[in-house]
């Protein structure tokens, strides 16, 4: 992984990496010009909205955070202090959700990596949240700091990705109270894309905002005007909104930063067994929390997050990339667009290994999210085993699949030159185009170049040891990591970040536990 | 594979098969109600049509079949007997292609298996044509009759499939001159779905038509009115049309049966390196041959076939399931719809094994073909290694993926009952829906049931030997084959088919070689 050696192995790896990096199209924003997929008509979507309103009006959401209760009450929600249940009139929901922007710019420390969150812009983020990490060399293991850094670096190598996400894997070898600082520093230094502080509590958010401002070299006042950090707020479905997450969210909102409100509505577990019911509940929970964000600060950037899937009714385990998941993604996108909210979805799978099931489930997710114009495709690369594992090999597979999707969705050349009538006339019947001038002038750039596919004849492949896609992905990530180069960083900025981290670690160490 | 034994192994397999079969939704036609994907606008499609016309007018197609030259000349095409080049005026092409029906019924021997070829009906067919066969137990090997029959039987077990296709694998252990008769008999007896005689020469087609008529119990006059057999006519791209295939096609057309006209336009090999150029050539070749079919018999059922992909420019090997392939599929569908022709595409992949690459490439194909309303998705199940291998495990993977696609595309319930507001109100915040009445009443049928996915927790999966999707697919096909039951057949029909086969084999044996 490091670049210590200079032996023939390393040289081969370096050449491979140069080839792989060279074969990726350059980083660029991604706009999907196809119309978004739609499964339901307006009348059917009205019914889901109506059910969401009834849930909010008749059942309400439980808010564990006192400050949230105060804000909600002050703005006209029906707050029951004894049960902490908050009921929202549909008019109140409409009024406050309408204040959220339909689109905004998310700022990176590298201005060339700013992206638009909204419209038909689709942004891919890295895996976030798994407790475990896995690769073929070191096996499946609890996350640690080295793996966390390696995944951040690897994903920085993928030109297909726009966002560097939240903790790709927990660093359990670091002290729990301060490991978020090490993670933030890694994001500030090893990647130049927007990333995600941990929303568990106000202090962790404050650290994140301070370090984002340092890494961008902007004041907190400028940060307030320029969304530059995002965080995911999961509700504790059904209908419960966490104490610490909301504390973090309110601090994000007050500072003009992005909250991605994502109910976790697994059909048959935390929501009804029917997809329509889960979506109604998803809307109810998302609308309630989004309304709160707009009560805190009208116009604050928020994202409507969908995470509706189903459980395996035999085991109760979550199932991802299923037909139910695809429906949840598509209809969730329809709902977000009706409400003029940016939309977040995910690239998910259940598989325990990087096999055909993993690819199948992730392709179900990717086609659905991309063709639904999900503005953030969370867990874009590396998510395995229903989110319990961040996988190095799955990261390569996902980058490959995202790259292929982006390639076919790009503009298609139908110029006279591309239509090639003269070239066709010049090749005799039954002939071939291999050496034709038209081919020779274009063949090097004519096709999308895969970073993973093996197109060699069977015998050649067998002689190479019959490497399957997972084995080849293992070679690819090692080659990419070996050639990783950190994006340019001002040394003074790194110094300021390091000083912040050191000071905060001292404060945390001194704090009464 | 056979049901000889009755030991505990067999009983376990039988139970597993019963569970798998029970978990498949029943066979049914498949209509895609989403609007078809579109990458190009009308002006761009006009340009492709225009290029196709120029190819037909200025370069022409070479026809190796004399009868075809006669027919084409008689109907106004510009035939050069010395070069065998036929040039078509665009008016002539428009006139004759317009005679082809936009939709027709394809008749099966089981009337419940009739399907519509046209509109937004999508029909999946089995793998056709590979010389080799593969499974994890017996390895990769040249095809033989036993494997051919097993694949036909296995695919009959998949409720997702509508068509039984052409030879799933060559039976090279049978005499070359008569092995088509054994294949036809297997199709007549082991499946109840429409299938595909070999179009190599008039005699093989005639045998196919005779046996289709026998299996359906209809006269040749009724067969003429009722399309019941299909065959694929590949052009020898670029711009060459084969002698024997056209002989077979003309006999199909004269007998009212279905020709699927499919140029094989690999960008950079048999067609220009640009997808637009390959599509122009695909249209030119398809339109020329489709015009011929309508000169033979106006109104004959034909299908516009697309098989545009690219080669790997490093090795010259064909590449499938690529971004270029997806574009070819989508734009091919747009062209077919403009010309009011049914459309054939394929589920393809390049991978050498049933790994993540195979699933990824096939999912690229399946999403593109299904959302393009391909009326026939050829090679729906079992195609591996760019078509060099028919794979038992890939068959299961494909059936799984097709099943999942069909599931999310089906109608979605947004009734009051499905919206489940009362059920949501009845579960307290932070609770769960596992034991809720609403869940209990629906959980057994609420979700699509996978035949392949492994959703068990990681540790359980490891204790079972960490079986990847390919290994599980191996278990699934053996269980399904062990429980295979032939569709009901009238013994007199089988007798008549056997008598026909015996008589023809004698004739062939007596014929001068």
């Amino acid at each position: 992984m490091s670049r210590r050696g200079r032996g023939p192995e390393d040289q081969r790896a370096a050449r491979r990496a140069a080839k792989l990096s060279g074969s990726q199209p350059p980083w660029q924003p991604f706009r999907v010009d196809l119309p978004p997929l739609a499964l339901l008509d307006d009348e059917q979507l009205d019914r889901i909205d109506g059910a969401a309103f009834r849930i909010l009006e008749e059942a309400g959401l439980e808010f564990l955070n006192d400050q949230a209760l105060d804000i909600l009450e002050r703005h006209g929600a029906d707050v029951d202090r004894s049960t902490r249940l908050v009921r929202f009139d549909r008019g109140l929901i409409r009024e406050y959700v309408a204040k959220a922007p339909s689109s905004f710019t998310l700022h990176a420390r590298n201005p060339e990596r700013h992206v638009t969150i909204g419209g038909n812009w689709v942004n891919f983020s890295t895996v976030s949240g798994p407790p475990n990490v896995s690769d073929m060399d070191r096996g499946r293991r609890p996350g640690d700091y080295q793996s966390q850094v390696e995944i951040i670096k690897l994903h920085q190598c993928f030109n297909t990705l726009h966002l560097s996400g939240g903790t790709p894997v927990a660093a359990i070898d670091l002290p729990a109270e301060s490991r978020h600082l090490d993670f933030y520093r890694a994001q500030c230094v090893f990647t130049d894309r927007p990333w995600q502080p941990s929303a568990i509590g106000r202090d962790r958010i404050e650290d994140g905002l301070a370090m984002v401002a340092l890494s961008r070299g902007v004041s907190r006042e400028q940060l307030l005007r320029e969304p530059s950090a995002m965080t995911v707020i999961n509700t504790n479905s059904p209908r419960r909104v966490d104490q610490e997450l909301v504390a973090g969210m309110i601090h994000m909102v007050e500072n003009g930063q992005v909250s991605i409100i994502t109910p976790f509505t697994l059909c048959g577990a935390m929501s009804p067994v029917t997809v329509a019911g889960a979506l109604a509940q998803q809307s109810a929970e998302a609308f309630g929390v989004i309304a709160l964000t707009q009560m805190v600060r009208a116009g604050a950037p928020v994202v409507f997050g969908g995470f509706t899937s189903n459980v395996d009714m035999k085991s109760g385990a979550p199932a991802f990339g299923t037909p139910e998941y695809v429906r949840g993604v598509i209809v969730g996108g329809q709902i977000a667009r009706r409400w003029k909210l940016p939309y977040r979805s995910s690239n998910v799978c259940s598989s325990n290994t990087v096999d055909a099931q993993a690819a199948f489930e992730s392709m179900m997710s990717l086609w659905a999210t991309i063709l639904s114009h999900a503005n953030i495709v969370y867990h874009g690369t590396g998510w395995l085993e229903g989110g319990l594992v961040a996988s190095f090999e799955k990261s390569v597979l996902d980058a490959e699949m995202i790259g292929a999707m982006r390639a076919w969705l790009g503009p298609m050349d139908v110029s006279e030159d591309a239509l090639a009538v003269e070239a066709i006339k010049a090749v005799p019947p039954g002939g071939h185009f291999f050496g034709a001038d038209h081919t020779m002038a274009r063949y090097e750039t004519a096709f999308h170049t895969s970073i993973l596919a093996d197109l060699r004849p069977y015998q050649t492949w067998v002689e190479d040891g019959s490497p399957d896609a997972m084995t080849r992905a293992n070679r690819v990530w090692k080659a990419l990591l070996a050639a990783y180069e950190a994006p340019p960083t001002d040394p003074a900025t790194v110094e300021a970040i390091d000083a912040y981290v050191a000071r905060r670690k001292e404060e945390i160490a001194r704090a009464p536990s």
Side-chain angles (χ1 to χ4, degrees), chain A:
Chain A
M1 263 61 66
S2 74
R3 286 182 290 165
R4 280 185 295 269
R6 286 277 173 255
E9 266 296 322
D10 294 277
Q11 287 168 23
R12 263 201 300 280
R15 276 198 302 276
R16 199 198 305 260
K19 220 169 70 181
L20 289 168
S21 302
S23 71
Q24 290 186 68
W27 186 97
Q28 55 186 339
F30 180 41
R31 200 183 62 198
V32 176
D33 289 325
L34 293 190
L37 289 179
L39 278 174
L40 301 185
D41 61 27
D42 278 338
E43 189 271 331
Q44 291 172 311
L45 294 169
D46 283 342
R47 294 170 65 84
I48 294 183
D49 278 359
F53 290 144
R54 283 189 56 203
I55 295 164
L56 286 163
E57 288 172 344
E58 299 170 24
L61 307 183
E62 183 190 63
F63 282 81
L64 300 182
N65 183 292
D66 285 331
Q67 191 188 358
L69 291 179
D70 293 344
I71 296 166
L72 289 161
E73 190 159 45
R74 211 159 55 234
H75 289 81
D78 173 14
V79 175
D80 182 330
R81 293 279 169 171
S82 65
T83 60
R84 298 180 166 276
L85 274 178
V86 179
R87 293 184 177 79
F88 299 78
D89 179 82
R90 64 188 67 193
L92 193 71
I93 291 290
R94 284 196 197 283
E95 179 188 346
Y96 279 94
V97 174
K99 295 181 193 291
S102 60
S103 181
F104 54 86
T105 298
L106 185 59
H107 299 72
R109 76 161 164 100
N110 175 354
E112 291 175 14
R113 297 291 174 269
H114 293 350
V115 289
T116 303
I117 307 294
N120 54 354
W121 296 97
V122 173
N123 300 283
F124 299 96
S125 187
T126 61
V127 57
S128 301
N132 304 300
V133 64
S134 173
D135 63 74
M136 286 180 79
D137 301 306
R138 295 169 289 188
R140 183 185 190 271
R141 58 200 189 273
D144 56 25
Y145 181 66
Q146 186 193 335
S147 304
Q148 190 181 79
V149 168
E150 283 178 9
I151 293 192
I152 290 172
K153 287 181 175 178
L154 173 62
H155 290 229
Q156 171 74 14
C157 298
F158 296 135
N159 291 349
T160 44
L161 297 188
H162 306 92
L163 308 170
S164 192
T167 42
V169 64
I172 63 162
D173 53 336
L174 299 182
E177 320 79 59
S178 63
R179 64 172 70 135
H180 65 284
L181 294 163
D182 301 286
F183 164 64
Y184 296 172
R185 183 193 180 279
Q187 291 281 36
C188 289
V189 174
F190 299 128
T191 177
D192 61 354
R193 300 166 190 170
W195 53 275
Q196 174 192 329
S198 164
I200 302 173
R202 186 191 173 287
D203 290 353
R204 284 192 181 81
I205 287 295
E206 176 52 29
D207 286 333
L209 300 185
M211 291 172 71
V212 166
L214 286 175
S215 74
R216 286 197 58 211
V218 300
S219 67
R220 292 298 289 270
E221 290 68 34
Q222 189 172 345
L223 204 68
L224 182 66
R225 294 189 306 273
E226 295 182 348
S228 310
M230 53 181 179
T231 197
V232 169
I233 308 298
N234 289 125
T235 52
N236 293 350
S237 305
R239 300 193 288 118
R240 176 175 282 167
V241 186
D242 182 68
Q243 146 73 9
E244 287 294 309
L245 275 178
V246 165
M249 180 187 82
I250 290 175
H251 197 56
M252 286 287 280
V253 170
E254 288 174 339
N255 283 276
Q257 302 307 304
V258 184
S259 308
I260 305 171
I261 313 301
T262 313
F264 189 19
T265 37
L266 275 184
C267 298
M270 294 88 98
S271 73
V273 76
T274 46
V275 175
L279 287 167
Q281 184 188 320
Q282 174 180 291
S283 281
E285 296 178 2
F287 292 160
V289 180
I290 289 171
L292 171 61
T293 64
Q294 302 305 308
M295 293 170 180
V296 173
R297 186 160 183 272
V302 288
V303 176
F304 179 92
F307 213 101
T308 291
S309 193
N310 56 303
V311 294
D312 172 27
M313 291 310 291
K314 276 174 284 191
S315 65
F320 292 107
T322 59
E324 291 74 24
Y325 183 76
V326 169
R327 289 180 164 185
V329 169
I330 295 172
V331 178
Q334 292 190 268
I335 292 168
R337 280 190 298 282
R338 270 159 71 94
W339 283 78
K340 298 187 170 41
L341 293 168
Y343 180 45
R344 167 247 157 128
S345 187
S346 304
N347 172 17
V348 292
C349 69
S350 295
S351 186
N352 286 309
T353 187
V354 186
D355 63 352
Q357 180 183 337
F360 153 52
E361 291 170 332
S362 272
M363 281 306 274
M364 291 283 278
S365 308
L366 284 173
W367 276 81
T369 54
I370 294 169
L371 294 189
S372 290
H373 297 185
N375 306 111
I376 297 175
V377 180
Y378 211 68
H379 307 305
T381 44
W383 213 69
L384 192 66
E385 222 187 276
L388 293 177
V389 165
S391 158
F392 282 79
E393 285 83 17
K394 177 66 162 32
S395 298
V396 174
L397 174 64
D398 285 328
E400 163 85 354
M401 298 193 293
I402 291 171
M405 291 296 291
R406 294 187 62 161
W408 76 259
L409 281 157
M412 183 167 157
D413 184 2
V414 288
S415 64
E416 281 307 303
D417 192 64
L419 288 166
V421 173
E422 294 306 323
I424 291 169
K425 286 165 66 177
V427 173
H432 64 76
F433 291 74
F434 279 117
D437 290 344
H438 187 269
T439 306
M440 297 309 286
R442 288 163 189 78
Y443 80 94
E444 284 182 290
T445 56
F447 307 137
H448 172 70
T449 308
S450 161
I451 60 170
L452 181 63
D454 194 326
L455 301 172
R456 294 174 295 176
Y458 182 79
Q459 274 310 329
T460 317
W461 175 77
V462 167
E463 282 154 24
D464 187 32
S466 309
D468 66 8
M470 185 174 178
T471 305
R472 298 193 308 271
N474 177 268
R475 298 176 187 169
V476 170
W477 73 255
K478 285 189 282 192
L480 284 172
L481 257 194
Y484 165 84
E485 287 181 28
T489 317
D490 177 5
T493 302
V494 179
E495 218 168 280
I497 289 168
D498 284 342
Y500 182 90
V501 169
R503 178 172 63 78
R504 285 287 296 136
K505 281 190 174 176
E506 269 176 49
E507 283 175 14
I508 289 168
R510 277 200 310 271
S513 64

PDB file of all heavy atoms in Angstrom, chain A residues 247-265:
ATOM      1  N   ALA A 247     -29.560  17.597  17.818  1.00  0.00           N
ATOM      2  CA  ALA A 247     -28.673  18.652  18.332  1.00  0.00           C
ATOM      3  C   ALA A 247     -27.633  19.009  17.276  1.00  0.00           C
ATOM      4  O   ALA A 247     -27.379  20.190  16.990  1.00  0.00           O
ATOM      5  CB  ALA A 247     -27.999  18.179  19.616  1.00  0.00           C
ATOM      6  N   GLY A 248     -27.031  17.981  16.679  1.00  0.00           N
ATOM      7  CA  GLY A 248     -26.047  18.214  15.616  1.00  0.00           C
ATOM      8  C   GLY A 248     -26.678  18.891  14.414  1.00  0.00           C
ATOM      9  O   GLY A 248     -26.118  19.818  13.825  1.00  0.00           O
ATOM     10  N   MET A 249     -27.869  18.427  14.051  1.00  0.00           N
ATOM     11  CA  MET A 249     -28.550  18.981  12.885  1.00  0.00           C
ATOM     12  C   MET A 249     -28.851  20.463  13.075  1.00  0.00           C
ATOM     13  O   MET A 249     -28.634  21.267  12.158  1.00  0.00           O
ATOM     14  CB  MET A 249     -29.841  18.217  12.614  1.00  0.00           C
ATOM     15  CG  MET A 249     -30.609  18.736  11.407  1.00  0.00           C
ATOM     16  SD  MET A 249     -32.222  17.945  11.228  1.00  0.00           S
ATOM     17  CE  MET A 249     -33.207  18.902  12.387  1.00  0.00           C
ATOM     18  N   ILE A 250     -29.330  20.814  14.250  1.00  0.00           N
ATOM     19  CA  ILE A 250     -29.682  22.225  14.486  1.00  0.00           C
ATOM     20  C   ILE A 250     -28.423  23.089  14.340  1.00  0.00           C
ATOM     21  O   ILE A 250     -28.470  24.171  13.746  1.00  0.00           O
ATOM     22  CB  ILE A 250     -30.342  22.390  15.874  1.00  0.00           C
ATOM     23  CG1 ILE A 250     -31.733  21.744  15.851  1.00  0.00           C
ATOM     24  CG2 ILE A 250     -30.434  23.870  16.273  1.00  0.00           C
ATOM     25  CD1 ILE A 250     -32.447  21.721  17.196  1.00  0.00           C
ATOM     26  N   HIS A 251     -27.297  22.574  14.821  1.00  0.00           N
ATOM     27  CA  HIS A 251     -26.068  23.344  14.685  1.00  0.00           C
ATOM     28  C   HIS A 251     -25.655  23.456  13.207  1.00  0.00           C
ATOM     29  O   HIS A 251     -25.175  24.513  12.771  1.00  0.00           O
ATOM     30  CB  HIS A 251     -24.951  22.704  15.518  1.00  0.00           C
ATOM     31  CG  HIS A 251     -23.791  23.621  15.762  1.00  0.00           C
ATOM     32  ND1 HIS A 251     -23.926  24.855  16.353  1.00  0.00           N
ATOM     33  CD2 HIS A 251     -22.461  23.497  15.466  1.00  0.00           C
ATOM     34  CE1 HIS A 251     -22.739  25.451  16.413  1.00  0.00           C
ATOM     35  NE2 HIS A 251     -21.838  24.644  15.869  1.00  0.00           N
ATOM     36  N   MET A 252     -25.833  22.382  12.455  1.00  0.00           N
ATOM     37  CA  MET A 252     -25.576  22.436  11.005  1.00  0.00           C
ATOM     38  C   MET A 252     -26.453  23.500  10.362  1.00  0.00           C
ATOM     39  O   MET A 252     -25.980  24.323   9.563  1.00  0.00           O
ATOM     40  CB  MET A 252     -25.877  21.077  10.349  1.00  0.00           C
ATOM     41  CG  MET A 252     -24.875  19.987  10.596  1.00  0.00           C
ATOM     42  SD  MET A 252     -23.297  20.206   9.701  1.00  0.00           S
ATOM     43  CE  MET A 252     -23.732  19.610   8.060  1.00  0.00           C
ATOM     44  N   VAL A 253     -27.743  23.450  10.665  1.00  0.00           N
ATOM     45  CA  VAL A 253     -28.698  24.362  10.032  1.00  0.00           C
ATOM     46  C   VAL A 253     -28.362  25.808  10.389  1.00  0.00           C
ATOM     47  O   VAL A 253     -28.344  26.689   9.521  1.00  0.00           O
ATOM     48  CB  VAL A 253     -30.130  24.001  10.468  1.00  0.00           C
ATOM     49  CG1 VAL A 253     -31.119  25.074  10.017  1.00  0.00           C
ATOM     50  CG2 VAL A 253     -30.519  22.628   9.915  1.00  0.00           C
ATOM     51  N   GLU A 254     -28.073  26.048  11.659  1.00  0.00           N
ATOM     52  CA  GLU A 254     -27.742  27.417  12.085  1.00  0.00           C
ATOM     53  C   GLU A 254     -26.503  27.937  11.373  1.00  0.00           C
ATOM     54  O   GLU A 254     -26.329  29.141  11.216  1.00  0.00           O
ATOM     55  CB  GLU A 254     -27.526  27.454  13.606  1.00  0.00           C
ATOM     56  CG  GLU A 254     -28.828  27.298  14.370  1.00  0.00           C
ATOM     57  CD  GLU A 254     -28.624  27.175  15.883  1.00  0.00           C
ATOM     58  OE1 GLU A 254     -27.500  26.815  16.311  1.00  0.00           O
ATOM     59  OE2 GLU A 254     -29.592  27.414  16.620  1.00  0.00           O
ATOM     60  N   ASN A 255     -25.656  27.015  10.930  1.00  0.00           N
ATOM     61  CA  ASN A 255     -24.432  27.421  10.251  1.00  0.00           C
ATOM     62  C   ASN A 255     -24.530  27.293   8.723  1.00  0.00           C
ATOM     63  O   ASN A 255     -23.510  27.326   8.034  1.00  0.00           O
ATOM     64  CB  ASN A 255     -23.255  26.604  10.777  1.00  0.00           C
ATOM     65  CG  ASN A 255     -22.799  27.117  12.135  1.00  0.00           C
ATOM     66  OD1 ASN A 255     -22.018  28.059  12.206  1.00  0.00           O
ATOM     67  ND2 ASN A 255     -23.331  26.545  13.217  1.00  0.00           N
ATOM     68  N   GLY A 256     -25.767  27.117   8.241  1.00  0.00           N
ATOM     69  CA  GLY A 256     -25.981  27.121   6.795  1.00  0.00           C
ATOM     70  C   GLY A 256     -25.509  25.860   6.091  1.00  0.00           C
ATOM     71  O   GLY A 256     -25.346  25.864   4.872  1.00  0.00           O
ATOM     72  N   GLN A 257     -25.306  24.787   6.842  1.00  0.00           N
ATOM     73  CA  GLN A 257     -24.793  23.567   6.225  1.00  0.00           C
ATOM     74  C   GLN A 257     -25.923  22.558   5.954  1.00  0.00           C
ATOM     75  O   GLN A 257     -27.050  22.745   6.381  1.00  0.00           O
ATOM     76  CB  GLN A 257     -23.687  22.967   7.094  1.00  0.00           C
ATOM     77  CG  GLN A 257     -22.538  23.954   7.328  1.00  0.00           C
ATOM     78  CD  GLN A 257     -21.985  24.516   6.025  1.00  0.00           C
ATOM     79  OE1 GLN A 257     -21.570  23.787   5.142  1.00  0.00           O
ATOM     80  NE2 GLN A 257     -22.021  25.859   5.874  1.00  0.00           N
ATOM     81  N   VAL A 258     -25.582  21.485   5.238  1.00  0.00           N
ATOM     82  CA  VAL A 258     -26.584  20.615   4.609  1.00  0.00           C
ATOM     83  C   VAL A 258     -26.987  19.441   5.499  1.00  0.00           C
ATOM     84  O   VAL A 258     -26.128  18.658   5.933  1.00  0.00           O
ATOM     85  CB  VAL A 258     -26.032  20.043   3.285  1.00  0.00           C
ATOM     86  CG1 VAL A 258     -27.100  19.220   2.582  1.00  0.00           C
ATOM     87  CG2 VAL A 258     -25.496  21.153   2.405  1.00  0.00           C
ATOM     88  N   SER A 259     -28.284  19.295   5.727  1.00  0.00           N
ATOM     89  CA  SER A 259     -28.799  18.114   6.426  1.00  0.00           C
ATOM     90  C   SER A 259     -29.514  17.216   5.416  1.00  0.00           C
ATOM     91  O   SER A 259     -30.355  17.678   4.659  1.00  0.00           O
ATOM     92  CB  SER A 259     -29.804  18.521   7.506  1.00  0.00           C
ATOM     93  OG  SER A 259     -29.242  19.497   8.349  1.00  0.00           O
ATOM     94  N   ILE A 260     -29.157  15.963   5.451  1.00  0.00           N
ATOM     95  CA  ILE A 260     -29.801  14.973   4.577  1.00  0.00           C
ATOM     96  C   ILE A 260     -30.719  14.154   5.475  1.00  0.00           C
ATOM     97  O   ILE A 260     -30.256  13.322   6.251  1.00  0.00           O
ATOM     98  CB  ILE A 260     -28.742  14.080   3.904  1.00  0.00           C
ATOM     99  CG1 ILE A 260     -27.705  14.945   3.161  1.00  0.00           C
ATOM    100  CG2 ILE A 260     -29.388  13.088   2.957  1.00  0.00           C
ATOM    101  CD1 ILE A 260     -26.498  14.157   2.654  1.00  0.00           C
ATOM    102  N   ILE A 261     -32.007  14.412   5.385  1.00  0.00           N
ATOM    103  CA  ILE A 261     -32.966  13.801   6.321  1.00  0.00           C
ATOM    104  C   ILE A 261     -33.403  12.460   5.745  1.00  0.00           C
ATOM    105  O   ILE A 261     -34.101  12.395   4.737  1.00  0.00           O
ATOM    106  CB  ILE A 261     -34.185  14.710   6.514  1.00  0.00           C
ATOM    107  CG1 ILE A 261     -33.763  16.163   6.771  1.00  0.00           C
ATOM    108  CG2 ILE A 261     -35.068  14.161   7.634  1.00  0.00           C
ATOM    109  CD1 ILE A 261     -32.889  16.384   7.973  1.00  0.00           C
ATOM    110  N   THR A 262     -33.016  11.376   6.412  1.00  0.00           N
ATOM    111  CA  THR A 262     -33.219  10.047   5.837  1.00  0.00           C
ATOM    112  C   THR A 262     -33.870   9.083   6.818  1.00  0.00           C
ATOM    113  O   THR A 262     -33.197   8.473   7.649  1.00  0.00           O
ATOM    114  CB  THR A 262     -31.866   9.457   5.377  1.00  0.00           C
ATOM    115  OG1 THR A 262     -31.141  10.443   4.630  1.00  0.00           O
ATOM    116  CG2 THR A 262     -32.082   8.233   4.512  1.00  0.00           C
ATOM    117  N   PRO A 263     -35.178   8.924   6.741  1.00  0.00           N
ATOM    118  CA  PRO A 263     -35.830   7.874   7.519  1.00  0.00           C
ATOM    119  C   PRO A 263     -35.288   6.506   7.087  1.00  0.00           C
ATOM    120  O   PRO A 263     -34.845   6.348   5.943  1.00  0.00           O
ATOM    121  CB  PRO A 263     -37.308   8.013   7.139  1.00  0.00           C
ATOM    122  CG  PRO A 263     -37.433   9.433   6.639  1.00  0.00           C
ATOM    123  CD  PRO A 263     -36.137   9.729   5.965  1.00  0.00           C
ATOM    124  N   PHE A 264     -35.296   5.549   7.996  1.00  0.00           N
ATOM    125  CA  PHE A 264     -34.835   4.205   7.662  1.00  0.00           C
ATOM    126  C   PHE A 264     -36.041   3.280   7.731  1.00  0.00           C
ATOM    127  O   PHE A 264     -36.343   2.693   8.761  1.00  0.00           O
ATOM    128  CB  PHE A 264     -33.737   3.775   8.622  1.00  0.00           C
ATOM    129  CG  PHE A 264     -33.044   2.492   8.236  1.00  0.00           C
ATOM    130  CD1 PHE A 264     -33.106   1.992   6.937  1.00  0.00           C
ATOM    131  CD2 PHE A 264     -32.319   1.768   9.162  1.00  0.00           C
ATOM    132  CE1 PHE A 264     -32.480   0.805   6.581  1.00  0.00           C
ATOM    133  CE2 PHE A 264     -31.683   0.577   8.823  1.00  0.00           C
ATOM    134  CZ  PHE A 264     -31.759   0.100   7.535  1.00  0.00           C
ATOM    135  N   THR A 265     -36.746   3.190   6.603  1.00  0.00           N
ATOM    136  CA  THR A 265     -38.052   2.542   6.572  1.00  0.00           C
ATOM    137  C   THR A 265     -37.955   1.193   5.873  1.00  0.00           C
ATOM    138  O   THR A 265     -38.191   1.079   4.675  1.00  0.00           O
ATOM    139  CB  THR A 265     -39.052   3.456   5.839  1.00  0.00           C
ATOM    140  OG1 THR A 265     -38.360   4.098   4.750  1.00  0.00           O
ATOM    141  CG2 THR A 265     -39.590   4.523   6.763  1.00  0.00           C
TER     142      THR A 265
END
